[in-house]
Amino acid sequence: MTTSKDIELKLELADDFYKHGKHLHAIQIYRSLLDENPDLIDAYLGLASSYVEIQNPDAAMNIIDSCLELHPDELDIRLYYIPFLLKHSKWEKIIDILSYISPQDEPQILFYLGYANYMLEEYEIAKLNFLGFISLQNDTALLNEAYLYLVKIDLQLGNFKSALTFSRKAEKIYSNYWELNFLNAKIYSALGMETHAKTSIEKAIKLNPREPLLFEFAGNIYFKLSDYLNAEKYFSKYIEQTDNASSDVYTNLAEACLRIEKLKKASEYFDAAIKLDPGNRKAIDRRKHLDTVKKKETSDG
C-alpha cells in the first residue's frame, strides 16, 4: 500500500528530475503517481509542466483539463493554466476557464478576460472587463496596462475623446513608451489636432526608430499639415525600412514630391504605385496630371 510518505518521496524525485532538465524521467514518475493516485493535483501540474518543457503543449492541455474535471473548484489550477493559455493564444479557452471564478475573489481574472476578448476583437466586452478590473483595483502592476488596452479599444471603437482620457491615465507609467505615443498620435490625428499628433509621433520615433509604421504615420501627419518636404522624408524612410510598402504609400510619396516640384521623383513613385496596383485610380489620375504639368513646362520653356 502506497503511503503518504511514499507519495511525497516520489514527488520530490520527479520534481528533482524536472529541475535538472530530465523531463522524460519526470514524466514517468508523475504518470506512475497518477496511476496510483488519480486525484493528486501536484502530479498533474508537474506532468503538465514537463510536457511543456518537451514542446508538447497539447498533451499539457489535456493533462490540466483532466485535472480540472476532477477538481473543478480548485482556483489555483485555473490560475496556473492562464499563463500557459496566454502563451499559446488560446483566447476562447481562457474565457471558458475563467468563467468559473468570481471577480470579487480574484479581480485579475477581469484583466485576462479583457485581454482575451481584445484579441478576439470583441472590443465592447473587453472594455467592460477592463473597466470592471479597474473598479476593483487600487494598486497593481496590471492597472496601467489595463488603461493602455482601453486606449487601444476606444481607438478601435472610434471613441477618440475617451481614448485620450485613458491615455492620460496610462501616461503615469507609459509616457516614455513608444506605443502609447503612437496611439496618442492616432488619437490627435483623428480629432483633427495634427500639431499635437506631430509632437506625439516624433517622440514615438525617437523612442523606437526601428518601427516602420511610425514613419508612415508621420508622413501622413506632415502631409495633412501641408509640410510636404517632411512628408516626403518620412514616407521615404518607411519605404526604406519595409519590404511590403503598399501602392497607397507610394502614391502619397509621389504626391508629396509633386507638391514640392520634384517631378522626376513623383513620376517614378507614381509608376511604382501603379505597378503594385494597376487599379489604383488615384495614382493613375495623378500620373496623368503630372504628364500634363510636364508638357506645360516644356511648352512654356
Side-chain angles (χ1 to χ4, degrees):
M1 179 179 176
T2 304
T3 65
S4 59
K5 185 64 176 176
D6 292 332
I7 294 171
E8 185 180 335
L9 289 171
K10 279 191 173 183
L11 274 174
E12 287 178 0
L13 179 60
D15 291 345
D16 191 59
F17 278 134
Y18 176 86
K19 288 174 187 175
H20 288 86
K22 298 179 179 180
H23 303 299
L24 293 177
H25 289 80
I27 286 170
Q28 288 180 333
I29 298 173
Y30 287 130
R31 281 209 165 277
S32 69
L33 278 165
L34 287 173
D35 287 341
E36 298 171 5
N37 309 274
D39 288 340
L40 192 58
I41 292 175
D42 287 345
Y44 279 107
L45 300 184
L47 182 58
S49 297
S50 298
Y51 276 124
V52 169
E53 293 296 332
I54 64 169
Q55 307 298 314
N56 193 342
D58 290 335
M61 284 180 62
N62 290 335
I63 293 299
I64 303 174
D65 286 340
S66 298
C67 187
L68 281 173
E69 286 178 14
L70 292 170
H71 305 281
D73 298 324
E74 285 289 339
L75 179 61
D76 288 344
I77 300 172
R78 293 184 182 277
L79 295 177
Y80 166 89
Y81 208 175
I82 298 308
F84 173 82
L85 295 173
L86 287 168
K87 181 179 179 181
H88 294 280
S89 305
K90 303 292 184 181
W91 314 123
E92 294 92 345
K93 186 81 171 176
I94 289 171
I95 294 168
D96 178 58
I97 292 296
L98 294 180
S99 65
Y100 292 83
I101 304 174
S102 167
Q104 299 297 328
D105 296 332
E106 288 290 337
Q108 67 178 345
I109 73 158
L110 286 171
F111 179 90
Y112 296 120
L113 285 169
Y115 183 71
N117 278 295
Y118 172 80
M119 297 304 293
L120 291 170
E121 299 183 5
E122 296 287 349
Y123 298 120
E124 295 282 7
I125 299 172
K127 184 174 181 177
L128 290 174
N129 292 145
F130 283 123
L131 289 173
F133 170 73
I134 289 168
S135 72
L136 295 173
Q137 290 294 311
N138 292 317
D139 183 19
T140 171
L142 294 177
L143 187 61
N144 290 291
E145 196 171 345
Y147 282 123
L148 185 64
Y149 280 108
L150 284 167
V151 176
K152 296 179 181 182
I153 288 166
D154 271 337
L155 261 174
Q156 291 288 343
L157 296 174
N159 301 329
F160 304 119
K161 289 183 179 179
S162 176
L164 191 56
T165 299
F166 289 128
S167 173
R168 285 169 179 159
K169 292 180 181 294
E171 280 175 351
K172 293 175 184 177
I173 296 294
Y174 292 108
S175 62
N176 288 319
Y177 179 41
W178 74 270
E179 188 179 17
L180 182 61
N181 286 280
F182 185 25
L183 294 170
N184 283 341
K186 290 181 177 181
I187 294 167
Y188 285 128
S189 185
L191 291 170
M193 303 167 69
E194 300 302 334
T195 301
H196 286 78
K198 178 181 76 171
T199 302
S200 294
I201 199 65
E202 290 285 4
K203 185 174 181 180
I205 289 169
K206 283 182 182 178
L207 291 167
N208 186 10
R210 296 181 181 179
E211 175 50 65
L213 288 176
L214 300 180
F215 294 107
E216 181 188 9
F217 202 79
N220 288 327
I221 290 170
Y222 279 108
F223 195 95
K224 288 179 183 178
L225 289 167
S226 300
D227 184 345
Y228 302 115
L229 197 61
N230 271 314
E232 180 204 8
K233 168 187 165 183
Y234 283 110
F235 284 135
S236 296
K237 283 191 174 183
Y238 171 72
I239 288 170
E240 287 170 10
Q241 288 200 13
T242 184
D243 295 326
N244 56 353
S246 69
S247 176
D248 288 339
V249 173
Y250 276 101
T251 302
N252 291 336
L253 175 55
E255 189 67 33
C257 289
L258 178 56
R259 301 290 180 97
I260 53 178
E261 299 183 355
K262 293 185 177 182
L263 303 187
K264 185 178 183 212
K265 281 190 172 183
S267 178
E268 291 172 358
Y269 293 134
F270 278 131
D271 288 344
I274 295 165
K275 184 177 180 181
L276 283 170
D277 178 11
N280 185 334
R281 196 70 252 167
K282 181 180 177 182
I284 293 168
D285 291 344
R286 294 301 288 168
R287 181 70 173 80
K288 289 178 181 177
H289 170 74
L290 177 57
D291 288 339
T292 302
V293 171
K294 284 181 175 179
K295 285 178 183 176
K296 186 174 184 304
E297 284 190 348
T298 302
S299 62
D300 288 346

